[in-house]
Structure formats: structure tokens, C-alpha cells
Amino acid sequence: MKKLFVVGVGMGKGTLTGDGLRTIAAAEAVFGSQRLLSLFAPAETPTFPLYDPQKVYALMAEKGIEQAALLVSGDTGFYSAARQAVELLPTGTVTLLPGISSVSYFFSKLGKSWQDAKLISWHGRDANLTDTVRRHSQTFALTGGNCSLLAKSLCESSFTDLTTFVGENLGTDDEKVYSLPLKDLSQRETAPLTVLLIENPHADARIPTGLPDEAFVRGSVPMTKSEVRAVIMSRLGIKPADTCWDVGCGTGSVTVEMALAAYEGRVYAVDQSPEAIALTTKNCRRFHLGNVSSQEGAAPAALQNLPAPDRVFIGGSSGEMSALFSLILSRNPRARIVVTA
């Protein structure tokens, strides 16, 4: 049986493990990105700039290669192509050789432990950084080259004064490790290979219901009061990854509590009043929420293009209750709907 060794090469030549070094030296061929091949592949070994596991395996079969190494950056267990290799290739074909991850390397440079940190990645994916930071005292992020954009999104949620630690080009001659306030990071250009640690000394992972009315910015639009909100939330039974609609969001008090509960999901707040949308946006910023999308418009037309909901609160229907129910249930027949009247 052909053997593909997926080797985590760590941060650079100085962090490649002994097992990784011996495996690369013994390989009949070495695969990976051109950057990793130029750093780690022996000069006498055939190399191929491929890292898609299925294409790698197909080329091994075509050229009669029995044992090869596929190089991946960092560690094979942390947002790595190694997972795809295990899932897609025949059982018993793939052997993983872990490397030193950017997490352990970076935290050691900072002299900090990372056992309590929340780890997320923005590399090729859309992570909810704002709500992760709100809930955790330490958040480590692979930025995917979006460092200033991530910082700006946190500043928009009123996290401007938090301390950040930045690691650029870790393990290379161009390595930079430094700290600065989040508001300054939002204006700074960083290297594409950058990791980020955000510390929030006031992190709060609670999921409150029935928040005090005075906690919200008020206006002339209606607001669902604290006691009613508590009952609404108990009936909705929101799970962390749910998609929620708040129809007729008003001040946004229910939107806020929905978003606090669906911290791995998303809340769509809709109202035909511009003032209501503005107040909802202000209140979401007050509670450091990054998983809310507000949209001005009348229901049900304004709901047509939203993702199918798991939970729906209807605080106002403008006489379109029947059409609302038809739309919601056509999108998800198992959606749970709560209405106040």
C-alpha cells in the first residue's frame, strides 16, 4: 500500500521535528506549496508543487511512488490540510507527523500559557471574532491576512481599548512580535502571515435573559419590556448555532438577547422604521455583538432573501401575519415561532 506522510513543518527550519526531518529525507518524493518545498525538500529528491491530497495520491499512482511526504505549515492538527488527506484518501494510507503550531510557538514567545485560550481561524473561513472576544479572556486568531479588517470589526463593536499581541512571519528572519491597542492595530498594515492574540479582562460568557430595560438605548419606537423578553426567550429555546429572525425589531432588545444566546449563529433584525434599525445597531454595539445583521424594510418582502430560520420572534407584523407564517414555514417547516400580542 502506498504511504503518504503528512508532515507538519512548524514555523520554519528551526522548528521542524526530528521525525519530520527523517521522514522528508527518506521520501521518494516531496509535495507541498512552493514556499515549503524551497525550505524543506532535499535538493536530490523530486518535488511537486501540489497540496491537494487527491491530486497528490493520483500522481503517486501515476509515477509509481510508494512513499512520499506532503508538507503542511504549522501542526497537522490545527486548521491543516492534513484533515482532508485523512478523510479523502484510503484508510491506512495517511500517517500524520505533528509539527509545532503557531499557537504554541507564539504563546511561548509571549511567555504566556494558552490552555484557556479560544482558538479560531479566519484563513479561508468566516469566523465570528467579535462574539468570541466578548466571551473569552484570550482569543487567538489565524488572521488569513485580514488583521486590520478584524481589528476594525472589533472596534465597530466598541472593543477599541483591548490589548492585542501580534505575531508576523513567525519562525522566519522577518519575524516580528509586538503589542499595541486594538484601535491602533486597525490602522496598521501587517504581513499576510500574521497571528493575533486579543485579551479581554472583562470577558463574559453568560447568556442573560430579561435584561433590565435601562440597559438599552431608547427612542420613540416600541421596546419589548424585560419581563416579556424573559418569557419570549424561554419559549424560543435558542441553541448556540441557530439562525434567528427578529421581525419588527423595534429598539432591538429581543435582537440583543437572541444574539447573546446564538453566539455561534446569526440574528437577522428587520423593521420598516429607519429609527428602529439605527437603535438596534446602537444597542448591538453596546453589548459588543458581531453576529447581527440589521435590515430596513417591511415584512414579509424584506425576509425573502434571508437564510432559513431556526427561531423567529414576531414583535410586529403590520397586518401580514398569515403571509409571514407562510414564508417562515416554507423556508423551514420545523422553525419555532414566538409571537407577542
Side-chain angles (χ1 to χ4, degrees):
M1 178 182 287
K2 297 185 184 302
K3 296 291 292 185
L4 178 63
F5 292 86
V6 183
V7 182
V9 299
M11 299 297 98
K13 285 189 175 181
T15 57
L16 178 62
T17 66
D19 280 348
L21 186 63
R22 287 187 289 273
T23 299
I24 294 171
E28 298 171 39
V30 182
F31 297 85
S33 70
Q34 193 60 58
R35 180 180 73 86
L36 296 184
L37 292 175
S38 64
L39 287 173
F40 298 101
E44 66 278 8
T45 305
T47 60
F48 302 92
L50 290 175
Y51 40 84
D52 180 284
Q54 291 178 308
K55 292 181 179 178
V56 168
Y57 195 70
L59 191 60
M60 288 176 65
E62 178 186 328
K63 295 187 174 293
I65 300 169
E66 296 299 321
Q67 180 173 313
L70 171 59
L71 309 183
V72 297
S73 59
D75 178 64
T76 54
F78 187 59
Y79 294 104
S80 169
R83 178 178 178 178
Q84 189 180 26
V86 173
E87 292 175 348
L88 297 179
L89 299 187
T91 303
T93 300
V94 178
T95 299
L96 303 182
L97 293 178
I100 296 175
S101 70
S102 56
V103 188
S104 59
Y105 183 92
F106 186 47
F107 275 83
S108 68
K109 284 285 184 178
L110 297 175
K112 296 175 179 287
S113 66
W114 57 278
Q115 64 225 25
D116 297 320
K118 177 66 175 178
L119 314 178
I120 64 172
S121 174
W122 259 70
H123 185 66
R125 64 189 64 228
D126 184 11
N128 186 351
L129 182 62
T130 300
D131 290 271
T132 304
V133 169
R134 175 175 54 79
R135 294 174 54 81
H136 297 88
S137 59
Q138 289 182 319
T139 299
F140 172 90
L142 298 175
T143 64
N146 295 304
C147 202
S148 62
L149 179 63
L150 297 180
K152 287 174 183 175
S153 70
L154 289 171
C155 288
E156 288 173 358
S157 298
S158 302
F159 275 135
T160 53
D161 295 327
L162 295 184
T163 299
T164 65
F165 298 88
V166 184
E168 297 185 41
N169 298 314
L170 297 180
T172 73
D173 293 338
D174 297 323
E175 177 179 288
K176 295 177 184 177
V177 176
Y178 54 92
S179 174
L180 74 170
L182 191 60
K183 59 187 175 184
D184 295 338
L185 180 60
S186 66
Q187 305 300 320
R188 185 184 182 102
E189 291 296 322
T190 57
L193 294 176
T194 297
V195 300
L196 188 62
L197 169 65
I198 307 108
E199 293 191 333
N200 181 8
H202 306 296
D204 188 354
R206 294 176 299 169
I207 303 176
T209 56
L211 288 164
D213 293 342
E214 56 269 21
F216 296 93
V217 179
R218 300 292 299 275
S220 60
V221 295
M223 184 179 84
T224 304
K225 301 301 191 292
S226 175
E227 294 84 355
V228 179
R229 238 182 296 120
V231 176
I232 291 167
M233 292 301 295
S234 72
R235 297 296 187 266
L236 282 169
I238 294 172
K239 298 189 292 294
D242 277 347
T243 296
C244 305
W245 292 0
D246 183 0
V247 183
C249 58
T251 304
S253 61
V254 174
T255 297
V256 166
E257 295 203 15
M258 280 179 144
L260 290 168
Y263 54 86
E264 293 178 352
R266 191 144 198 95
V267 178
Y268 296 88
V270 177
D271 203 293
Q272 58 187 342
S273 164
E275 183 186 0
I277 296 301
L279 283 170
T280 295
T281 300
K282 287 180 181 178
N283 281 314
C284 288
R285 288 177 179 169
R286 171 171 282 205
F287 285 89
H288 306 300
L289 296 170
N291 59 337
V292 175
S293 296
S294 301
Q295 181 173 316
E296 181 184 336
L303 308 171
Q304 293 286 349
N305 296 321
L306 299 184
D310 301 295
R311 301 290 187 266
V312 180
F313 169 62
I314 301 176
S317 66
S318 300
E320 298 291 339
M321 190 68 74
S322 178
L324 274 173
F325 267 76
S326 295
L327 172 64
I328 294 165
L329 296 176
S330 71
R331 301 295 300 281
N332 179 10
R334 298 179 62 84
R336 176 172 288 195
I337 307 169
V338 174
V339 183
T340 53

